[in-house]
Amino acid sequence: MILTQQLILGVLVGGLYGLAAAGLSLTFGVLRVLNVAHGELLMLGGYGTFWLFALWQIDPFLSLLGVGPALFVLGLVLYWMLFQFVVKAHEEARIKNSLLIGFGLTLVFHTLAIRLWTADERAVTTDYAGAVVKIGVFTVPLVRLSSLVLAFAILTALHLFLAKARWGRAIRATAEDWEAAALMGIPVGRTYLLAFALGTALAGIAGGLVSVSYSISPSIGIEWTLKALIVVVLAGLGSLFGSFAGGILLGLAEATSVVFLGGPYREVVGLVLFLIVLLVRPQGLFGDRG
Amino acid sequence: MLEVERLEVSYGALAALHGVSLTIRPGETVALVGPNGAGKSTLLKTIVGLLVPRAGVIRWEGIPVSAEPPHRIIERGVALVPEGRRLFARMTVRENLELGAFAKRAQRERRAQLERVYTIFPRLLERERQLAGSLSGGEQQMLALGRALMGLPRLLLLDEPSLGLAPRVVESIFSVLAELHREGMSLFIVEQNVQAVLTLAQRAYILEGGRIVGEGEGQRLLQDDHVRAAYLGPLARGASS
Amino acid sequence: MLAAGFAGFPLVTARNDLLNLGIQIFLAVALAESWNLLGGYAGQITLGHAAFFGLGALVTRTLWVGGAPLSVALAAGALVATAFGVLIGGPAFRLRGAYFAIGTLGLAEILRITVGNLMPEISTIPVTALASYDLVPRYYLTLALAMFSVAVVAVLVRSRVGLGMQAVREDEAAAEASGVGAFRHKLLALVLSTALAGLAGGAFAYYHVSYYPQHAFSPAWTFDAVLIAFIGGVGTVHGPVLGALFYVIAKEVLAVQLVEVHLLIFGVLFLLVVLLLPGGLVEAWSRARRLITRNS
């Protein structure tokens, strides 16, 4: 009973894990760049949603229409200023440098957030914040359910974009073989830019959903970067829905551990799973590439 | 149409091409033969912009293009069918073909050109929804060629089109190339199967050790003693097996 | 020469704040040099360095507070840290680049959370020891540790083993092909790195009057090490020294004004270094010298 209730909550948070991971998976899969500041971008998106609500009472779900594009632009800027220099190197150096750049960005954004908004926890509490949906004897918080549905919808939209649109296919082609993509007349630099900005926007939207479904503070950056990394490793690269499923899996694993091991070890379960999969099956459970 | 003047290309400290010069006139089919490691692929990659030369010029219709990125050169009307085909294995046949028409110039004609490619290669229409990685060697070469054609090129570069293919398949590929030539497309073909390519080409260059060591008409080179000794002996046997 | 100056210092002054500053600098040097060994010379970027610092601190603290002589406690701390490093080294090095970095981060986090759960209470030096608490021996200990870590790196750089490590850093496949056993060299770098980190952790445990045990496992220590190594000049012998001096002193100066702003500035500096001046302060210094000698 308690387990099922916890599992439901686990699925709800897992959807957001998956959304966060999808953005990271996109940038890692296409640019072969590991932006460890991904969680910080999520945090920024969360604060964007929070302040839009706190200052102008804009409904958080609605404000995503602003937060998403805003983070998209931030992604453009970050790529233009920093990451475009990283992609010029070959793979090993690329990953190393992107790790370092991401690390530097993490520090900058983290301390900037603390300076601007203090280290206090914030949450967006709307009128409907406490509403729940009752399924039998279990309660499902409406806000979290909506977030899950929205996350899934966004991933579906992105999937369609990648499958059908000219630039979406260009992204997939570049991810698979950038030289062959260049031979198709695809401007590789611009494709990287697009993929990176999209990944950043996804992080921002996930952050917005986190601010309304849970709470945010400057320190959630590193937390969510790790979550996204865990899911990316669990699920592998190459599939958005794989990331989503991986996120749900992580949520379920955490929920199970909370019931049997207690709250304090919740994070550890994810990390242990993460290490096991890293060592045993680095290409992930659903992925097609390492 | 295409002029290469005293091209010098290096991989880091390793020089691959030394003072290579050649020309390709509109409507010509030109072959490039030479031993492995001579730098033939390097030359094609440099023409299409994947490599930047250390010295020398590449001119396309009079315009110097050696510093341009690949997508710009593709837009100008050059296409490369790379060695090993480099298909997008995880995408379908149709997606591969449609990607070939990414350039703005080719986008407009996409539907019509797709029909054309399916007419030339009916097998591709059959396998439209299959993943490119699941095709046979010959089908993959057809797809690679069809994909390049989707870009509406005026000069088509081919790097070892017959590599790893059965003789009958090689025949059919070359007959398609011959048809393209008859329709006025310029072709520049790097090929190990000297017999097949010199029969098709009007002119040919010989590249050895990063230098052009010979040039001449296709048929005449076929008769040349040096060429026969170096490239035709073992290869002639290989081609007919 | 610098070391001699530092050594003579406590004889001249008894100002506790300066002694504290010195201790922090020396700890930073040791921490950064130990990371530099593995990350800078062997090229294995690890983000889990705090794990070994924390283990050294944990073991040393437990033994020393429990009554064991300091030298034993320190040695045990370093030993446990190294043992853990060897334990994970095998599987960890099967991961490449990014996966190695985040894998080590994950490992450090697991340790931190577990220690935090098992030992949530603050650890304080017993009252008896508090009465005789003196900064001076701690000063000399950390100074010795800093000098030792610099010496280890300096010796290593010139040795055949050290050159092998750098070959692995530049191109692992090529190094392997030319007979340099990549795994052996990486493991050796890991052993030395973790041993030094463990000693630094032990010194930290000896120095701090009270702290939460999990604090020594905080990723902040890894970040400090990486920042200092890079800003000073990663992959050089003296880079971490310059970086530590710069970092700790700047931190002190800036802390007067605003909390945590120093991290913001260092973050930006770090980005600039990675992109524009990979050699850090060391490179800036040598460039400046060449400029001066050319114009004089």
Side-chain angles (χ1 to χ4, degrees), chain A residues 113-169:
Chain A
I114 294 182
R115 282 287 304 135
L116 290 173
W117 306 311
T118 80
D120 294 337
E121 248 180 50
R122 321 278 193 147
V124 172
T125 329
T126 56
D127 307 325
Y128 51 84
V132 291
V133 171
K134 281 207 159 284
I135 303 179
V137 70
F138 305 112
T139 49
V140 180
L142 185 62
V143 167
R144 296 190 191 180
L145 185 61
S146 318
S147 298
L148 179 71
V149 171
L150 195 59
F152 187 75
I154 291 174
L155 284 180
T156 308
L158 185 63
H159 175 86
L160 286 173
F161 172 72
L162 292 177
K164 305 266 190 249
R166 177 166 164 249
W167 278 100
R169 288 186 179 172

Side-chain angles (χ1 to χ4, degrees), chain C residues 1-271:
Chain C
M1 337 103 260
L2 207 73
F6 274 120
F9 203 56
L11 307 173
V12 189
T13 170
R15 277 182 59 183
N16 274 358
D17 54 345
L18 288 182
L19 286 180
N20 271 314
L21 193 68
I23 293 175
Q24 287 187 37
I25 293 176
F26 304 143
L27 273 179
V29 169
L31 189 65
E33 281 284 13
S34 61
W35 188 91
N36 187 29
L37 219 159
L38 184 60
Y41 280 103
Q44 308 300 308
I45 303 258
T46 162
L47 292 179
H49 206 59
F52 308 102
F53 183 78
L55 277 173
L58 185 68
V59 171
T60 303
R61 185 73 161 191
T62 313
L63 289 178
W64 176 62
V65 165
L70 182 64
S71 46
V72 172
L74 281 174
L79 207 69
V80 170
T82 314
F84 189 67
V86 172
L87 192 72
I88 63 147
F93 284 131
R94 278 202 282 132
L95 306 172
R96 281 308 173 80
Y99 294 126
F100 178 75
I102 61 181
T104 49
L105 177 63
L107 199 64
E109 280 296 281
I110 291 177
L111 278 180
R112 181 180 68 81
I113 296 171
T114 311
V115 168
N117 287 334
L118 294 175
M119 301 183 192
E121 314 91 28
I122 198 165
S123 159
T124 319
I125 298 182
V127 187
T128 46
L130 248 165
S132 57
Y133 186 91
D134 184 8
L135 274 181
V136 177
R138 286 160 173 84
Y139 181 89
Y140 282 116
L141 176 70
T142 49
L143 174 60
L145 182 63
M147 280 167 51
F148 178 60
S149 51
V150 174
V152 167
V153 175
V155 165
L156 191 69
V157 167
R158 278 168 250 279
S159 71
R160 211 159 62 96
V161 174
L163 288 174
M165 285 183 197
Q166 292 171 73
V168 169
R169 174 190 68 198
E170 292 307 315
D171 189 337
E172 186 161 333
E176 189 77 49
S178 51
V180 176
F183 179 70
R184 268 187 300 126
H185 282 81
K186 291 199 283 194
L187 194 62
L188 184 63
L190 180 69
V191 164
L192 290 172
S193 172
T194 55
L196 282 175
L199 281 176
F204 168 85
Y206 177 55
Y207 164 59
H208 269 275
V209 174
S210 67
Y211 66 98
Y212 288 100
Q214 63 159 321
H215 177 63
F217 290 88
S218 161
W221 295 108
T222 307
F223 296 165
D224 278 0
V226 177
L227 271 178
I228 292 172
F230 269 91
I231 291 179
V234 70
T236 68
V237 177
H238 296 104
V241 178
L242 283 177
L245 274 168
F246 180 68
Y247 184 76
V248 175
I249 292 177
K251 191 159 111 172
E252 275 304 307
V253 170
L254 291 169
V256 183
Q257 310 180 1
L258 304 147
V259 186
E260 297 234 11
V261 133
H262 69 277
L263 277 181
L264 182 62
I265 296 178
F266 285 125
V268 173
L269 253 175
F270 177 82
L271 286 171

Side-chain angles (χ1 to χ4, degrees), chain A residues 166 169 176-177 179 289, chain B residues 86 88-90 98 102:
Chain A
R166 177 166 164 249
R169 288 186 179 172
E176 195 172 332
D177 186 341
E179 280 192 324
R289 253 180 310 149
Chain B
R86 306 284 283 273
F88 302 114
R90 282 196 289 275
E98 289 182 330
F102 184 87

